[in-house]
Amino acid sequence: MKRLERRFYCRDALDVALGLLNKVLVVDGCRGRIVEVEAYRQDDPASHSRAGPTPRCRTMFGPAGHLYVYFTYGMHHCANVVTGEPGDGQAVLIRAVEPLTGLEDMRRRRGGVPDTRLVDGPAKVCQAFALDRRHDGLDLTDHPGAWIGDDGVEPPTAPGRTRRIGIRLGTELLWRYVVPV
DNA sequence: GCCTGGATTGTCT
DNA sequence: GACAATCCAGGCA
């Protein structure tokens, strides 16, 4: 499988979000096909980057292709991929994947839920792949264990396009993309 | 199955 | 001091 290069990420968050569908997220031994994402940009009331760089979201303003992991609701982590040019404050939230390998590790970390609910939410992706703030800022284009690969499966020609989830502002933007079932 | 409310803490105003 | 890009358990149908 081919690792995605920096230039894949150096585009608008909306383009990268579409392109990430059906790509494969790899963290150590675990692999999952990305089936649901959301785009966030700086000119976006729902984005952490809306007010400029802060210690928490500074990764979003760094080079594209890095991983942005944040902590929220007092108990959950969510994983994003930084896009655009440095200073843009853009990212794509990885909301759900389809498990491919490392199922045993995922099941153990997720506490024995049915496979269908193993990784169907952004915080669950982090739990299943054991991602936390330690992974914030790592470079997906140059990291031995964590990267995103292209195994030849094309993004869907007609992806589902809906409002984003779990936010109060910016819900009018159709920036959530899903692989149709 | 669908809906409701609680958990729990880092982060920003 | 309020809130958050969420999840899960529990109640009811």
Side-chain angles (χ1 to χ4, degrees), chain A residues 23 88-89 93 112 127 141 143-144 147-148 150 154 169 172 178:
Chain A
K23 294 293 184 291
D88 279 356
L93 171 67
Q127 197 179 355
T141 66
H143 188 281
W147 45 287
I148 295 176
D150 181 352
E154 296 292 322
L169 300 171
E172 72 282 2
V178 302

Side-chain angles (χ1 to χ4, degrees), chain A residues 121-132:
Chain A
K124 302 179 190 180
V125 172
C126 284
Q127 197 179 355
F129 285 82
L131 291 170
D132 59 39

Side-chain angles (χ1 to χ4, degrees), chain A residues 43-66:
Chain A
D43 57 346
D44 177 352
S47 173
H48 291 161
S49 62
R50 63 192 177 283
T54 65
R56 177 206 203 184
C57 70
R58 70 188 184 289
T59 303
M60 286 181 81
F61 291 85
H66 286 230

Side-chain angles (χ1 to χ4, degrees), chain A residues 17-18 20-23 33-37 96-98 153-161 176-181:
Chain A
L18 271 174
L20 279 177
L21 292 178
N22 280 335
K23 294 293 184 291
R33 187 173 309 285
I34 298 170
V35 295
E36 182 178 343
V37 296
V97 306
E98 172 190 318
V153 179
E154 296 292 322
T157 50
R161 197 159 178 252
R176 171 172 174 256
Y177 296 104
V178 302
V179 176
V181 290

Side-chain angles (χ1 to χ4, degrees), chain A residues 85-97:
Chain A
E85 298 297 323
D88 279 356
Q90 300 186 353
V92 174
L93 171 67
I94 299 176
R95 290 193 56 90
V97 306

Side-chain angles (χ1 to χ4, degrees), chain A residues 10-23:
Chain A
C10 294
R11 294 181 286 155
D12 187 88
L14 291 174
D15 294 330
V16 178
L18 271 174
L20 279 177
L21 292 178
N22 280 335
K23 294 293 184 291

